[in-house]
Amino acid sequence: MPNTNSLPALIHYNPTTYAPHELLERSSSFYRWLNERRTCRDFSDEPIDPAVIEQIVLTAGTAPSGAHKQPWHFCLVSNPQLKREIRLAAEAEEYESYTNRMSKEWLEDLAPIGTNWEKPFLEIAPYLIVVFRQPYVVQADGSKRQNYYVQESCGIACGLLLAAIHHAGLIALTHTPSPMNFLATLLKRPENEKPYLLIPVGYPTKDGRVPNLARKPLDAIATWYR
Ligand code: IYR
C-alpha cells in the first residue's frame, strides 16, 4: 500500500510567463547582459551600503538545493582587521601553492590570467563574502543528519550570487585559496561548515582591467539531439 499519510502540502504556483514571441528577445537580452560579467581583480575601496550585500545574499539563497536543505552559509566580512587576517592567511597558502604545490601545467594555464600569490583585493574590496557548505547539520540531540547534493546546491547558489552582484553593477572574484580551512578558523564557524568560495565584492577601479578572454561558441558547449 502506498503511504497516503504524508502527502506534502502543495501550494499554487503561478510565475510570470510570456508569450512565445517575447521569449527570444527576453532570453537573448539576458544573455547579452550576463555576457558582460567578468571576473575582475581591480577593486575600488569605495564603500557600499551593507543592505545591498544582504539583498544579493538573499538572491543566492533562492537557489534550489537537495531536499531543500539550503546547505549554505554566507559570512559577510567588512571588518578591516578580519579582512587583513584573511588576506595574510590566504597569501601564506597561495605563496606555498604558487611556489611548491601547483604543477607546471597549472601555472602555464594561469599565466594568461596573470594571477600570483599576492591578494591585495582581500583588503581593498569593501566586502568579502565567504561561502560555507554544510555537508550535514547537527540536530538538537547532537546527532548528525546528512545534507544532499551539497556541492551542486552551493555551486548553483554561488552562480545566482554572481548574477546578483553583476545586476547591482558591482564586480566579484571567485577566489579559491587552497587549502582554505583557515577561513573556518578565522570566522569561528561550527564544525559542520566547510569553506566553499571566497568572493570579494565591490566597485571596479576606474582603470580596472581583465584578461582578453573569449567564451566558447554555442557549438562548442552544446549539442542538439533533435
Ligand atoms: N587559487 C589560486 C590559483 C588559481 C587557480 C585557478 I584554476 C584560477 O582560475 C585562478 C587562480 C589563486 O586564487 O590565485
Side-chain angles (χ1 to χ4, degrees):
M1 283 277 285
N3 176 6
T4 52
N5 299 329
S6 60
L7 286 176
L10 299 181
I11 56 169
H12 286 288
Y13 176 56
N14 286 111
T16 311
T17 59
Y18 301 92
H21 72 273
E22 295 176 282
L23 299 186
L24 191 55
E25 171 51 28
R26 289 188 63 82
S27 52
S28 69
S29 63
F30 186 74
Y31 158 61
R32 279 182 269 113
W33 166 75
L34 203 50
N35 195 30
E36 288 170 9
R37 189 207 59 80
R38 292 296 310 267
T39 291
C40 180
R41 292 171 172 77
D42 297 333
F43 286 87
S44 151
D45 63 0
E46 191 173 340
I48 294 161
D49 183 347
V52 173
I53 302 301
E54 292 181 353
Q55 296 305 305
I56 286 167
V57 170
L58 282 168
T59 304
T62 68
S65 61
H68 193 52
K69 296 292 185 178
Q70 305 170 84
W72 43 64
H73 193 83
F74 300 87
C75 292
L76 315 177
V77 182
S78 58
N79 178 288
Q81 176 62 29
L82 203 43
K83 285 197 296 178
R84 176 155 190 81
E85 289 173 30
I86 290 172
R87 175 187 178 176
L88 293 177
E91 286 184 334
E93 291 294 359
E94 293 292 282
Y95 183 82
E96 191 55 27
S97 292
Y98 276 87
T99 49
N100 292 317
R101 292 195 281 239
M102 289 155 74
S103 65
K104 186 170 153 284
E105 291 91 312
W106 193 348
L107 292 170
E108 274 170 23
D109 283 339
L110 282 181
I113 301 175
T115 59
N116 65 25
W117 63 270
E118 289 175 291
K119 306 297 175 190
F121 49 76
L122 294 175
E123 275 189 274
I124 296 169
Y127 298 99
L128 306 178
I129 301 180
V130 189
V131 186
F132 287 83
R133 63 185 170 90
Q134 299 173 329
Y136 60 91
V137 288
V138 180
Q139 303 182 105
D141 67 359
S143 63
K144 292 179 182 179
R145 196 166 172 121
Q146 293 301 313
N147 286 329
Y148 313 97
Y149 298 101
V150 172
Q151 298 282 1
E152 292 84 346
S153 303
C154 289
I156 297 166
C158 287
L160 296 181
L161 185 81
L162 296 180
I165 291 166
H166 181 58
H167 187 66
L170 301 171
I171 58 162
L173 165 62
T174 42
H175 180 42
T176 52
S178 173
M180 55 177 165
N181 221 43
F182 67 87
L183 291 167
T185 309
L186 286 174
L187 298 170
K188 303 184 171 64
R189 298 314 302 165
E191 57 147 43
N192 69 317
E193 292 188 2
K194 309 292 169 207
Y196 184 74
L197 272 183
L198 169 48
I199 306 179
V201 182
Y203 282 106
T205 58
K206 293 270 177 293
D207 59 352
R209 285 164 191 262
V210 296
N212 187 16
L213 306 177
R215 292 192 163 113
K216 290 180 179 177
L218 183 64
D219 67 357
I221 64 169
T223 303
W224 272 111
Y225 295 82
R226 297 188 207 256

